[in-house]
């Protein structure tokens, strides 16, 4: 997933993420350079270190009966502010964020598709097109294949790392923007939580199932092509990043702004690779934008949008997408996305809760000069 958790994530993420083709390596995303939360102050946890610590304990020879030498402070972990999770390691904060976010997002099967609800409020409903629609879009798979030689490097890296590419927007590292990285990593993991039920209930064919001439340059995943997981994760991250730094790192331009351009290229590369049709990426992008917007709203205690977006077939070669018509011979572009999914331009209230504190910490890193950290 993200670049956090290098001690445990890179080897595990590449070993698992590539073979399974599930987008980003699941092992990454929560650590912060040092590895796991169980590591000690100066090195990794090991049986040898534990033995050495036990030997020092025995050698010091303190007379301790369990009731003497009791500390009087602290009375509890952290501060009195329940939103302040700074007492936790980045890995454990990631676990907390995952739990809090996943409680609000649920995907339920509907006739021929699935619906994402946030806090019990329907947000977006996807219904996969039929075989004829996908067959008509194979012309795009063929055309994009001509870009493979130019993009194979990107395609390979993006199998298990798309977050590095958002570093093109502005410096993303564990020193200057560690809170931003934590938030983006949590959002990408949330997208994975959402995408797999969608895929299961849609169960659409991959390009290789439609023609033996596709010759994908990466392993075709075993799950549904519709919606695209890469698109969902990339556009969820882009939506959050755009909220954090629009009018700071670049001029605001809706879904045509820089983070969305990067997300679009990541999504399109999956068509170049031969594992997705454009309609898969459009569906993933729609859900990703809704996920990012919902996280922004949750972080600021705002009511969730009550206007569910629907993407469903209306004919063999046409779909309705947020009230717009998308045809089988239409490519996936940011203009199509803008027409189907208007960006929320509302003003946020003050951040609330753990997710709000994460957002506040990330937003402070994009101000000039950066604001001193006051929340988790």
């Amino acid at each position: 997933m993200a670049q956090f958790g290098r001690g445990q994530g890179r080897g595990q993420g590449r070993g698992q993420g590539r073979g399974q083709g599930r987008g980003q390596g699941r092992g990454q995303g929560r650590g912060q350079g040092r590895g796991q939360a169980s590591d000690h102050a100066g090195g990794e946890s090991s049986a040898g270190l534990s033995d050495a610590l036990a030997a020092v304990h025995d050698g010091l020879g303190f007379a301790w009966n369990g009731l003497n030498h009791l500390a009087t402070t602290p009375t509890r972990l952290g501060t009195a502010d329940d939103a302040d999770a700074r007492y936790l390691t980045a890995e454990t904060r990631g676990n907390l964020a995952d739990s809090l976010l996943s409680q609000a997002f649920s995907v339920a099967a509907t006739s021929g598709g699935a619906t994402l609800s946030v806090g019990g409020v329907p947000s977006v409903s996807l219904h996969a097109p039929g075989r004829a629609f996908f067959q008509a879009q194979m012309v795009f798979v063929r055309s994009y294949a001509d870009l493979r030689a130019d993009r194979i490097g990107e395609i390979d890296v993006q199998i298990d790392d798309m977050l590095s590419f958002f570093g093109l927007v502005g410096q993303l590292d564990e020193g200057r923007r560690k809170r931003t990285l934590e938030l983006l990593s949590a959002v990408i993991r949330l997208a994975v939580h959402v995408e797999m039920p969608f895929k299961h209930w849609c169960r659409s064919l991959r390009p290789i199932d439609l023609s033996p001439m596709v010759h994908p340059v990466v392993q075709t995943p075993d799950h549904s092509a519709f919606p695209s997981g890469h698109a969902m994760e990339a556009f969820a991250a882009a939506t959050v990043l755009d909220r954090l730094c629009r009018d700071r790192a670049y001029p605001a331009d809706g879904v045509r702004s820089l983070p969305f351009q990067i997300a679009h290229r990541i999504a399109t590369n999956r068509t170049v690779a031969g594992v997705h049709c454009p309609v898969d990426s459009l569906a993933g992008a729609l859900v990703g934008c809704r996920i990012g917007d919902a996280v922004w709203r949750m972080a600021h205690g705002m009511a969730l949008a009550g206007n569910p977006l629907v993407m469903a077939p209306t004919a063999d070669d046409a779909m309705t997408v947020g009230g717009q018509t998308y045809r089988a011979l239409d490519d996936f572009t940011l203009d199509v996305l803008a027409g189907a999914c208007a960006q929320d331009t509302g003003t946020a209230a003050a951040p609330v809760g753990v997710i709000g504190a994460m957002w506040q910490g990330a937003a402070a890193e994009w101000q000039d000069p950066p604001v001193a950290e006051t929340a988790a």
Side-chain angles (χ1 to χ4, degrees):
M1 225 163 239
Q3 289 298 340
F4 288 132
R6 290 177 185 169
Q8 61 175 341
R10 281 208 166 179
Q12 183 179 345
R14 287 205 171 228
Q16 294 181 359
R18 290 196 179 191
Q20 298 173 5
R22 295 176 64 184
Q24 305 265 337
R26 297 299 186 270
Q28 300 182 14
R30 296 195 184 98
Q32 201 178 9
R34 281 288 179 126
Q36 303 185 35
S38 58
D39 288 347
H40 290 263
E44 295 182 2
S45 178
S46 67
L49 179 53
S50 296
D51 185 64
L53 293 172
V56 171
H57 165 77
D58 293 341
L60 292 175
F62 287 112
W64 182 51
N65 62 15
L67 297 177
N68 58 339
H69 300 290
L70 294 179
T72 58
T73 58
T75 57
R76 61 177 292 179
L77 297 178
T79 68
D81 183 3
D82 287 339
D84 187 354
R86 286 176 296 174
Y87 71 98
L88 299 172
T89 64
E91 180 186 2
T92 309
R93 273 198 306 272
N95 290 332
L96 175 60
D98 290 351
S99 296
L100 294 175
L101 289 171
S102 63
Q103 290 173 16
F105 290 75
S106 62
V107 181
T110 56
S111 179
T115 297
L116 167 67
S117 295
V118 185
V121 179
S123 176
V124 57
S125 182
L126 299 182
H127 301 267
R131 186 185 187 94
F133 195 102
F134 287 111
Q135 287 177 324
Q137 288 218 318
M138 292 296 284
V139 296
F140 294 110
V141 178
R142 168 61 192 89
S143 296
Y144 275 115
D146 291 340
L147 298 176
R148 288 176 178 176
D150 293 332
R151 298 202 185 183
I152 190 62
E154 300 172 40
I155 292 168
D156 183 63
V157 173
Q158 289 163 0
I159 290 174
D160 56 15
D161 172 21
M162 64 178 66
L163 195 50
S164 293
F165 293 86
F166 288 106
L168 296 172
V169 175
Q171 181 78 3
L172 287 179
D173 61 16
E174 295 163 5
R176 195 185 306 179
R177 300 265 163 72
K178 67 177 181 179
R179 298 306 186 196
T180 300
L181 283 174
E182 283 189 32
L183 180 60
L184 292 178
S185 297
V187 169
I188 290 175
R189 294 193 301 269
L190 174 61
V192 174
H193 166 77
V194 169
E195 75 193 39
M196 294 313 297
F198 264 119
K199 286 176 173 289
H200 175 67
W201 282 306
C202 289
R203 295 203 291 281
S204 298
L205 298 176
R206 293 275 178 172
I208 197 173
D209 299 312
L210 299 170
S211 173
M213 302 304 294
V214 174
H215 304 159
V217 294
V218 297
Q219 177 62 37
T220 297
D222 59 356
H223 49 254
S224 175
F226 181 96
S228 165
H230 270 68
M232 194 180 300
E233 296 164 31
F235 277 89
T239 301
V240 169
L241 185 58
D242 182 61
R243 281 283 181 188
L244 292 172
C245 61
R246 68 169 67 152
D247 289 324
R248 297 187 180 99
Y250 55 83
D253 192 22
V255 297
R256 300 174 183 85
S257 64
L258 182 56
F260 294 101
Q261 293 180 37
I262 294 170
H264 179 265
R265 188 173 178 101
I266 291 171
T268 301
N269 278 345
R270 301 294 283 175
T271 301
V272 176
V275 295
H276 277 295
C277 290
V279 67
D280 304 327
S281 295
L282 175 58
L286 290 171
V287 180
C289 289
R290 281 298 174 107
I291 290 172
D293 180 70
V295 171
W296 171 68
R297 287 177 168 274
M298 288 176 59
H300 296 87
M302 300 168 65
L304 299 172
N307 52 334
L309 188 152
V310 177
M311 181 175 185
T314 56
D316 287 346
D317 64 346
M319 303 187 73
T320 180
V321 183
Q324 307 290 316
T325 298
Y326 177 72
R327 299 193 178 279
L329 293 182
D330 292 335
D331 199 357
F332 166 52
T333 66
L334 292 178
D335 287 339
V336 170
L337 181 64
C341 186
Q343 192 179 45
D344 191 336
T345 57
T347 302
V352 297
V354 172
I355 305 303
M358 290 180 65
W359 191 287
Q360 186 177 35
E365 295 174 336
W366 292 92
Q367 296 185 28
D368 186 21
V371 176
E373 184 175 359
T374 57

